[in-house]
């Protein structure tokens, strides 16, 4: 049997865009017709079933690609590794639930580290909810998972630095917008770069440029800066970043 991209999308529930992306990253690469249309066969359907199965288990696309391309990896070993990781996550979630319940009961004996863990978990969950799909589509699951892990590992001092840098960026943007002041552009860029490096050990120029573009293309980012530093703040920040990353 031969299937078009739309046929496969209808059968699997995936979008055409997702299937194109799988092709681009060589995860599921169908043959091409004479007019260069993607043509899927029965073998591709089997591979897609495995991809969906692994995704259902929470495997990243990079991990799935490694599994599919290797004859040395045992299916059952992969499942056991996944179970071990899930148990670790379960333990973290259980601890977070316990701490939240203590807050609900007005427990004043919680230490700063416990409160910090709740803050970081909430931040990660909010980022995933608001921006996760776009960033995972752009950079892949492993990159975003690494970012989340880096943020989860931040210390009290790191979190203070993270918040302070964010406030300094807003303050400088407020002054820049209000007084049309260009004297602190370099400071704004350096602060923003340090801010990204602090929360992402995989910082890259490409990632920084992508964030600058999202400040213009995504209303959520635009509104965040414009509501805090004045109309046009997101555009100003984006242009500053792009200028210094030339």
């Amino acid at each position: 049997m031969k299937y078009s991209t739309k046929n496969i999308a209808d059968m699997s529930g995936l979008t055409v865009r997702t299937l194109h992306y799988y092709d681009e990253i060589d995860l599921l690469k169908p043959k091409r017709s004479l007019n260069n249309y993607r043509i899927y066969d029965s073998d591709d359907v089997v591979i897609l079933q495995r991809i969906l199965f692994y995704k259902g288990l929470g495997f990243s696309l990079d991990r799935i690609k490694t599994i599919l391309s290797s004859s040395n990896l045992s299916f059952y070993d992969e499942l056991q590794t996944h179970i071990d990781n899930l148990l670790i996550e379960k333990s973290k979630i259980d601890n977070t639930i316990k701490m939240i319940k203590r807050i609900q009961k007005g427990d004043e004996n919680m230490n700063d580290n416990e409160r910090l863990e709740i803050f970081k978990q909430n931040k990660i969950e909010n980022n995933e909810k608001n921006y996760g799909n776009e960033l995972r589509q752009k950079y892949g699951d492993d990159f975003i998972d690494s970012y989340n892990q880096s943020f989860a590992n931040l210390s009290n001092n790191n979190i203070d630095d993270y918040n302070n840098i964010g406030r300094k960026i807003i303050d400088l943007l407020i002054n820049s917008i209000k007084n049309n002041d260009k004297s602190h552009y370099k400071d704004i860029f350096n602060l923003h770069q340090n801010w990204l490096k602090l929360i992402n050990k995989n910082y890259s120029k490409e990632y920084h440029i992508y964030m600058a573009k999202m400040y213009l293309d995504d209303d959520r980012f635009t509104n965040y800066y414009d509501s805090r530093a004045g109309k046009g703040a997101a555009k100003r920040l984006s242009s500053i970043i792009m200028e210094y990353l030339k």
Side-chain angles (χ1 to χ4, degrees):
M1 291 286 291
K2 304 295 182 184
Y3 305 95
S4 68
T5 303
K6 186 177 185 308
N7 293 149
I8 295 295
D10 291 340
M11 290 167 55
S12 65
L14 299 175
T15 65
V16 169
R17 180 182 177 185
T18 296
L19 291 169
H20 287 176
Y21 178 66
Y22 287 178
D23 185 4
E24 291 170 7
I25 65 173
D26 295 330
L27 180 62
L28 178 63
K29 204 162 188 66
K31 297 179 178 64
R32 296 277 184 156
S33 66
L34 293 177
N35 54 7
N36 207 35
Y37 288 118
R38 292 174 176 85
I39 299 296
Y40 296 82
D41 58 23
S42 297
D43 289 339
D44 294 320
V45 172
V46 172
I47 293 173
L48 181 57
Q49 286 177 328
R50 292 185 65 189
I51 292 171
L52 294 176
F53 174 73
Y54 286 126
K55 276 185 64 64
L57 293 177
F59 286 19
S60 71
L61 294 182
D62 289 340
R63 189 58 182 159
I64 294 172
K65 185 177 177 182
T66 300
I67 294 170
L68 295 179
S69 62
S70 175
S71 58
N72 297 322
L73 288 174
S74 164
F75 171 73
Y76 294 102
D77 287 343
E78 285 298 324
L79 289 184
Q80 186 57 54
T81 298
H82 187 60
I83 288 173
D84 293 341
N85 291 334
L86 287 176
L87 289 174
I88 293 173
E89 290 302 314
K90 179 178 180 298
S91 177
K92 292 179 180 179
I93 292 172
D94 288 343
N95 288 334
T96 300
I97 290 173
K98 289 178 182 178
M99 285 188 284
I100 292 174
K101 287 183 177 180
R102 289 173 64 183
I103 291 176
Q104 288 176 328
K105 294 178 180 179
D107 188 345
E108 297 180 355
N109 295 320
M110 289 186 66
N111 59 46
D112 289 342
N113 287 331
E114 289 174 326
R115 296 180 189 279
L116 177 63
E117 288 304 316
I118 294 176
F119 166 79
K120 290 188 292 187
Q121 187 62 36
N122 288 340
K123 188 71 175 178
I124 290 171
E125 290 175 358
N126 287 335
N127 285 343
E128 282 285 356
K129 179 180 178 181
N130 293 324
Y131 314 115
N133 288 337
E134 295 96 324
L135 294 176
R136 287 181 181 277
Q137 187 80 356
K138 176 70 177 178
Y139 291 102
D141 292 333
D142 285 352
F143 182 91
I144 301 305
D145 290 342
S146 175
Y147 164 85
N148 288 340
Q149 189 60 50
S150 295
F151 191 85
N153 291 335
L154 292 179
S155 66
N156 279 318
N157 289 337
N158 292 148
I159 290 295
D160 287 341
D161 290 341
Y162 169 83
N163 290 327
N164 289 334
I165 291 173
R167 283 191 289 268
K168 288 178 182 178
I169 292 172
I170 294 297
D171 288 344
L172 289 176
L173 284 173
I174 289 174
N175 179 64
S176 176
I177 295 296
K178 185 177 180 180
N179 302 312
N180 196 27
D181 183 2
K182 301 179 181 180
S183 63
H184 294 290
Y185 279 10
K186 181 63 173 177
D187 293 330
I188 292 173
F189 170 78
N190 287 336
L191 284 168
H192 194 268
Q193 186 179 55
N194 291 336
W195 187 68
L196 290 181
K197 287 181 176 180
L198 179 65
I199 58 177
N200 192 346
K201 65 180 181 180
N202 292 320
Y203 169 87
S204 66
K205 178 180 177 180
E206 180 193 17
Y207 174 66
H208 205 163
I209 290 174
Y210 180 72
M211 293 302 296
K213 290 180 178 178
M214 285 194 70
Y215 293 156
L216 299 181
D217 298 338
D218 192 313
D219 288 341
R220 293 165 297 185
F221 283 100
T222 304
N223 291 336
Y224 175 86
Y225 284 103
D226 284 7
S227 65
R228 289 164 173 76
K231 187 174 181 180
K235 183 177 181 180
R236 181 72 56 88
L237 176 58
S238 179
S239 66
I240 291 172
I241 294 169
M242 297 302 288
E243 174 66 24
Y244 284 97
L245 286 176
K246 283 182 178 178

